Amino acid sequence: YNFGAISMKSAFQDTNYIIDVNAPFLQANLHSTEPFSRFKNRILDKTVYSHWGDVFTQKSNSSDHSQDTTINKGRTEILITTADITPVCEILLPNLYISDNSTINFLYTPEDSLMLDIHSPAWGLGSTLLSNFKLDLDSPDSTIFCNITSDKVNLGGNLEIEQNLIKIISDKGIIDFSYLFDNEKKNGNKLDFSSQIGLSRTDSGNIATTLGIDHSDLFIRGLEWHFTPSVVELSKKRFTFDNFSLQNKEQFVNIDGTISSDPTDTISVAINRINLSFLDKLLKRGIDMHGIFSGQMYACDLYGTPSILMDMDGDSISVLGQDGGSMKIMSKWDQERKRMNILAFNRHDGLTPLNIV
């Protein structure tokens, strides 16, 4: 790779710490009035330890004076602007792309006011590409405000998500998180999701994440679904769903219970009158699938000797215009053979043309 001429200037004296880099692919400037170690500790204290001090333990360091009020806190500014950075991306990560004129502006003041602005006309990894990406973070005091937007997220092929907006507010160990995208005019898809996220330590010392889901709306191909208020808790080898539910009128999917190493913990998944025509719309090439399915599945001891039971009923089923009548599906996990034993049969005009064991 031919990077051309690269110029770097640095100065470290008293309370002045300066690094300037000029290259054909990048211009970067760092100006600070405090040592990097103190700057790093101040940032960690503001963004991590002051919010989750009971979750993340701050390493003690006898040379750390970030909390010493007798020492003046410094001011740090960082400005980065990219040009043709493709050769650098190919070295760092071959599938990484960052467009020209992408910028990072960072400011941290002696009063512990933090500002971060990131903008890129386009950046991506592999087949995923984000257009007109912006991140704005502002923290004048203990609360952190962050907005992330992108006009379009291409996830590969024809899968695009437009008008993306993520809002994050972090204060006193609780993160208010919301995500909105709007493809309603293009394909009838839209999401308006809001939640609260908390972090804690379990009795065994693992980090646990609690997600409290507010009433949220999801439109899929113009069909309106609702997330009802629920709580999801995630930690190492333990996943708890407290009445997680996605509903559309009488249709719903509900998950309740716990998956863990405790063999007595059980999780259940219930579906009610799920219309297969809705699922057919999600397929790249629909197969004219219709029918109503309801049923339940139970599972326990998934980390040990799994026990899984499923019982589903289908009615008014048709595929490719062919009427299939009603269907019954039952299954049970066979631990000895490590497989699901399935019994499926249907009834049509009083006959049973399909019987699978």
Side-chain angles (χ1 to χ4, degrees):
Y1 297 94
N2 183 6
F3 293 106
I6 300 176
S7 170
M8 177 180 291
K9 298 179 180 179
S10 62
F12 303 96
Q13 186 177 10
D14 296 331
T15 58
N16 289 311
Y17 302 84
I18 300 172
I19 299 176
D20 292 325
V21 178
N22 286 282
F25 55 86
L26 179 78
Q27 180 174 339
N29 308 101
L30 184 153
H31 295 183
S32 182
T33 58
E34 65 181 349
F36 176 76
S37 59
R38 190 191 307 164
F39 160 72
K40 178 197 70 174
N41 290 326
R42 286 180 60 211
I43 285 289
L44 288 175
D45 183 68
K46 180 176 180 63
T47 60
V48 179
Y49 302 127
S50 64
H51 294 264
W52 300 286
D54 55 342
V55 178
F56 301 100
T57 303
Q58 186 172 11
K59 294 181 179 180
S60 60
N61 187 342
S62 58
S63 62
D64 174 28
H65 302 290
S66 61
Q67 302 303 315
D68 191 341
T69 57
T70 64
I71 297 180
N72 293 329
K73 297 178 180 179
R75 177 187 179 91
T76 300
E77 296 181 71
I78 300 174
L79 173 61
I80 299 174
T81 303
T82 67
D84 182 10
I85 202 170
T86 301
V88 178
C89 292
E90 291 180 354
I91 294 175
L92 297 177
L93 203 58
N95 293 322
L96 176 65
Y97 169 76
I98 301 175
S99 71
D100 298 355
N101 297 316
S102 296
T103 60
I104 298 176
N105 287 282
F106 175 91
L107 173 64
Y108 194 28
T109 71
E111 296 77 29
D112 289 320
S113 176
L114 173 64
M115 289 173 284
L116 173 64
D117 175 65
I118 300 175
H119 174 249
S120 177
W123 75 274
L125 183 64
S127 60
T128 301
L129 183 68
L130 289 80
S131 302
N132 194 21
F133 173 87
K134 295 180 181 179
L135 182 151
D136 294 307
L137 185 148
D138 186 25
S139 180
D141 46 38
S142 62
T143 305
I144 299 175
F145 302 90
C146 182
N147 287 346
I148 302 173
T149 62
S150 177
D151 289 349
K152 182 183 296 184
V153 178
N154 190 314
L155 299 176
N158 295 321
L159 184 55
E160 295 180 344
I161 303 175
E162 299 180 347
Q163 304 301 322
N164 297 269
L165 170 61
I166 294 175
K167 289 187 175 183
I168 300 171
I169 301 175
S170 178
D171 188 26
K172 298 178 181 178
I174 299 296
I175 301 172
D176 288 325
F177 175 89
S178 64
Y179 175 44
L180 171 69
F181 76 78
D182 191 350
N183 281 24
E184 196 166 12
K185 292 182 179 180
K186 184 175 182 179
N187 54 24
N189 295 339
K190 180 180 178 181
L191 173 65
D192 188 354
F193 180 83
S194 64
S195 64
Q196 292 82 41
I197 302 173
L199 300 177
S200 61
R201 287 279 182 181
T202 65
D203 293 339
S204 57
N206 296 314
I207 295 177
T209 302
T210 300
L211 174 66
I213 300 175
D214 298 329
H215 182 92
S216 303
D217 300 319
L218 172 66
F219 291 80
I220 303 178
R221 301 296 184 184
L223 194 63
E224 185 175 4
W225 293 78
H226 302 285
F227 291 94
T228 59
S230 61
V231 177
V232 179
E233 297 179 359
L234 309 174
S235 61
K236 186 177 181 180
K237 288 191 174 182
R238 184 177 179 86
F239 309 90
T240 298
F241 299 83
D242 184 2
N243 198 35
F244 175 85
S245 185
L246 187 61
Q247 299 180 349
N248 165 255
K249 298 180 180 178
E250 60 184 4
Q251 296 186 86
F252 68 74
V253 178
N254 181 272
I255 305 175
D256 194 71
T258 299
I259 299 173
S260 75
S261 55
D262 185 342
T264 63
D265 282 334
T266 302
I267 191 166
S268 66
V269 179
I271 66 173
N272 185 69
R273 301 193 61 79
I274 296 296
N275 195 322
L276 295 184
S277 62
F278 159 70
L279 300 177
D280 191 56
K281 293 180 180 180
L282 302 180
L283 299 177
K284 197 170 185 179
R285 294 182 178 178
I287 56 176
D288 192 21
M289 181 170 56
H290 298 273
I292 306 295
F293 264 88
S294 300
Q296 288 186 313
M297 183 184 75
Y298 298 92
C300 65
D301 201 13
L302 295 181
Y303 290 106
T305 305
S307 177
I308 306 173
L309 297 172
M310 184 177 72
D311 188 350
M312 296 287 172
D313 292 290
D315 190 31
S316 304
I317 297 170
S318 67
V319 179
L320 295 174
Q322 299 296 313
D323 187 9
S326 62
M327 177 174 283
K328 180 78 170 180
I329 303 175
M330 294 182 291
S331 67
K332 182 178 181 180
W333 176 255
D334 186 338
Q335 175 64 15
E336 184 176 348
R337 298 183 180 182
K338 307 293 184 183
R339 70 181 190 184
M340 290 291 291
N341 291 331
I342 299 176
L343 170 63
F345 60 89
N346 79 318
R347 295 189 183 278
H348 184 245
D349 291 338
L351 302 176
T352 308
L354 174 66
N355 196 339
I356 301 175
V357 179

